Amino acid sequence: ICSVFPPGFVQSSCRSRIFWMKLNKLLLQGKFFQLEINDPYAGPLLLDEKLASRCGYVLSEDVWGNPVFRASVLGCHVTNEADELFSLTVNIKVSSFLSMRAAVTYTYPMYCSYSSWASREIMCEENYMEVSVKTDVPAVSNDYTVAWMSALPETQNVAYQLWQLMFVSPSGRKRITVSDAAKLGYSFNNTLSRVYLRAPYHSNESDISVVSGVNMNMVTSTSMYRQRWLLLLIDTTVSCPIDGISFTDTALTWTVPSVIPTLVVQESTFLSKNILMGVDDQVIVNPEEKNYLLEHNETLIRITIPIGAEGGKLKSSISGGVYGIIYNIDLFLEHTWTDADWQTTKYTVIKSITTPFMPQIPAVINNTLPEERLFNVAFGHFLPDVSLVAIAIGNVPFTLREAQHQGFKIYETPFSNRTKGFILEVTFDDPYVLKEYVNRNETKYTLLINYTLSVGPEMTLYYHSAEVECVIADIELPEAVGYCDEENMYLAIPTFGLHQYWNLYLGNKLLNRHVALTNGYFAVTNATHLILQIPLFAAGVIYEEVSFQKIKARFDVALKKVRTMDTLQMFSVRCGFNSSEFIVCHPDGTIMISVQMKTVPAIDMSKTKLRDSSCKPREHDERHAFFKFHVTTCGTSARFEGDHIIYENEISYEKETLPEQSIPTITRDPDYRLTVLCYYRAKETLVLGAFASDPSTSPPFGSSTMVPRSNIAVHRRVRQALNVVSRVSKDESFMEFYEPDMAILKQPVEPVFLEVELKDKSPDTELYLENCWVTGSLDFNSSPRWNITVDG
């Protein structure tokens, strides 16, 4: 089916002696196409690689992906009018199916006019080499070409009125007919005034030579024709570069030899006349205007193109999951020279150059605005052929439409060098932003981003993750207010951030509702504050100063971070209290008692005492006495009750009797006894030494009770000595033991198997092994000392 061309589908031109045709890829999207060459005699022929290289055709793509077709005016199926006017017709078949069924055919004729032929013209195309020579030019130099002269005997066998070809290669000489050469991929013919030979690269008859560092593919041949008394020998040697491309990070360089020895026999007569460069089918008159560099000297012609320069195209690509770019440009070089053997040679090379993959790791630019509490993240740089198709925030995927609906702002922004980037804006308060309380009063906001991009014309998906953080001081630490009444201390603590950022601790114990109730605190919460009421004699109260009828007490609560347990600050309330009756059980075992004697008649408070009659009041007045002693003194006894140790003493009064030297019969003093109890947890260690005032390290105080007793009902419980036995076993079986008085020799790294046994049969008695050590003598406190167990 022949159809009319869609507008803009085909563009064509004639550059020098080349037909150029370009198809618009946009009109071929989702379709398949083929080219057919119209033979004036045989009809349409499907263009394939073999036909293309033999007949002087090229089918490729330009840097923009548009199909490009080029044809030599000396192509097999070109109509030639007097070597000046040329025409070629192609069929463009387009189908929606790979099988090309139901194809639409567009017939397109092309015309080219070219009359300024040089004596010899050489074309180095992508897939073939072509040389054409005027037939009136002497073919062989009698003075310099011994190799050609040696071929003359072969010419005696040339068929009458028939062209034959003589190939010379390192393997020897080969003479074949034109038809046989066509079977080998060559194309030979003559026109009205010219003879041409077209050869594929890397044929069996070709050779590789290095000229000025560039590998050249060379076919050395002579075309021979005999007619009556005429024997025509024409040099149809052709040589084309097959490399000469080098790259840096910023530029590509194409190098071609200035003088090619196989083409210039008498190099001393070589004269370069003109050098042109071009892009696509356009000659670049002033290369420097496009930042191209065209250099040449006696040996080399060099073209340098900056990566990304105008005329070429940068293309995005993915390799091994890495984003990068590829630069492609279609160049041609035209060099005209003269020498003694040829009037003029026009040497043209067409080269499509593509750089290797160049990784370009995208940059994530953090333009976050802390004062606006807004993440602003730029992601680039990318070429125009990259598009953002999806994004994930906090590992939650969104399409672009969903992201916009969620409140994320996403837009493109142009960068320098014709690149672009993608801007993402997300507020700190968005639920998909991670928030972490750090330092004292700061929040670290973290935005986790996963980009999904479509890259290049292949629309390859590319994934890139980024993590952006911003730390700002936007948390106000609470300030507590403390006050007291006659019997209690109070702390008012703001509830903002409580349990979210920080917790309250009493020593190392979390202060929760259970602990508060257990310790006798009363807690109430309103809209803004937690009010904590602490009785003077509740657990956890620190008594900084205890004296006669006066107490200076302090209560501390630590504000600690929820996650790290770091202490941010201490909330303290400190007050002085007047109290006539109290008992304070210090953690170091010191007991302080202020008692008020309510007897009739009144007694002399200076004559009160503890169980040890030498323990008298430290201070006293008419009705009060103040005692201070340690649990290990003044006749204090101890007993276990549950998980507590109870230390007990008794305050009593020495009655005065008359007469003093005989059995007392008269007394006016009342009978008075007061039992004092201090409770300590059995698993807590009593610190023997000075009282520690640091609330973070002070052990908890013991609890206390004062119990008045009458003289008639006094039942004293005195702690009895415990029957404890310890032995050292010879091994871990604990079957054999050392004798008690035997010296035991052990190395520092050897284990000691120690057994401690409590033989007391009382059900209320438990054994706790706290510290165990070895000394060099019978004195337990002697040095040196080696610890076996510490703190149980």
Side-chain angles (χ1 to χ4, degrees), residues 139 148 163-166 188 195-197 221-225 232-236:
W148 289 111
W163 284 100
Q164 293 191 13
L165 302 176
M166 173 72 73
F188 177 86
V195 170
Y196 66 86
L197 173 69
S221 65
T222 301
S223 302
M224 301 175 292
Y225 182 80
L232 183 61
L233 303 179
I234 301 177
D235 183 0
T236 49

Side-chain angles (χ1 to χ4, degrees), residues 218-472:
M218 174 180 61
V219 174
T220 303
S221 65
T222 301
S223 302
M224 301 175 292
Y225 182 80
R226 182 181 178 186
Q227 183 176 10
R228 294 184 181 180
W229 60 87
L230 174 66
L231 177 62
L232 183 61
L233 303 179
I234 301 177
D235 183 0
T236 49
T237 296
V238 63
S239 181
C240 289
I242 55 177
D243 55 19
I245 309 296
S246 61
F247 305 96
T248 67
D249 292 338
T250 57
L252 63 87
T253 301
W254 180 26
T255 303
V256 176
S258 295
V259 181
I260 304 170
T262 55
L263 302 180
V264 181
V265 177
Q266 303 183 58
E267 291 188 28
S268 61
T269 65
F270 173 84
L271 180 62
S272 178
K273 303 294 290 185
N274 189 35
I275 298 175
L276 292 175
M277 69 162 289
V279 176
D280 292 330
D281 60 344
Q282 300 296 316
V283 174
I284 306 299
V285 179
N286 297 308
E288 64 278 0
E289 292 181 358
K290 297 182 179 295
N291 294 322
Y292 304 157
L293 181 61
L294 174 60
E295 306 171 284
H296 61 89
N297 54 32
E298 294 180 355
T299 58
L300 294 173
I301 302 172
R302 181 177 291 114
I303 297 175
T304 302
I305 307 292
I307 301 296
E310 180 184 352
K313 183 186 179 185
L314 284 167
K315 170 189 170 185
S316 298
S317 182
I318 302 296
S319 177
V322 177
Y323 172 79
I325 60 173
I326 295 171
Y327 180 68
N328 177 247
I329 189 168
D330 294 332
L331 299 175
F332 73 82
L333 173 69
E334 188 176 280
H335 185 198
T336 304
W337 72 77
T338 61
D339 60 66
D341 293 306
W342 300 91
Q343 294 177 4
T344 306
T345 297
K346 183 183 290 186
Y347 187 80
T348 304
V349 184
I350 297 177
K351 195 76 170 179
S352 179
I353 302 175
T354 301
T355 65
F357 176 80
M358 296 177 287
Q360 303 284 316
I361 306 302
V364 177
I365 306 168
N366 186 2
N367 298 320
T368 295
L369 305 171
E371 64 279 2
E372 298 183 16
R373 300 180 61 82
L374 181 69
F375 281 111
N376 182 291
V377 183
F379 183 43
H381 298 200
F382 294 105
L383 297 177
D385 60 358
V386 175
S387 58
L388 181 65
V389 297
I391 195 168
I393 304 296
N395 297 321
V396 178
F398 298 96
T399 65
L400 295 189
R401 182 183 296 274
E402 291 170 342
Q404 298 283 1
H405 182 73
Q406 185 67 31
F408 308 140
K409 190 175 181 182
I410 303 173
Y411 55 93
E412 290 188 5
T413 183
F415 289 146
S416 60
N417 300 325
R418 302 192 301 275
T419 61
K420 68 178 181 179
F422 305 99
I423 304 295
L424 171 66
E425 293 183 358
V426 181
T427 65
F428 287 180
D429 301 315
D430 190 275
Y432 294 101
V433 173
L434 303 181
K435 304 167 184 67
E436 180 184 0
Y437 171 52
V438 295
N439 304 322
R440 286 182 57 83
N441 62 337
E442 295 176 328
T443 303
K444 180 172 73 174
Y445 297 94
T446 304
L447 182 64
L448 300 178
I449 315 169
N450 288 282
Y451 297 94
T452 301
L453 300 104
S454 175
V455 175
E458 299 84 5
M459 302 179 71
T460 305
L461 291 182
Y462 170 68
Y463 306 95
H464 189 90
S465 60
E467 181 174 324
V468 182
E469 296 180 352
C470 185
V471 179
I472 59 174

Side-chain angles (χ1 to χ4, degrees), residues 70 78 173 178 203 277 335 385 552 567 612 615 629 719 751 772 791:
R70 293 192 299 271
V78 175
R173 294 190 296 271
V178 172
S203 66
M277 69 162 289
H335 185 198
D385 60 358
K552 287 185 178 179
T567 300
D612 185 341
C615 295
F629 60 96
R719 183 177 182 182
C772 183
D791 292 337

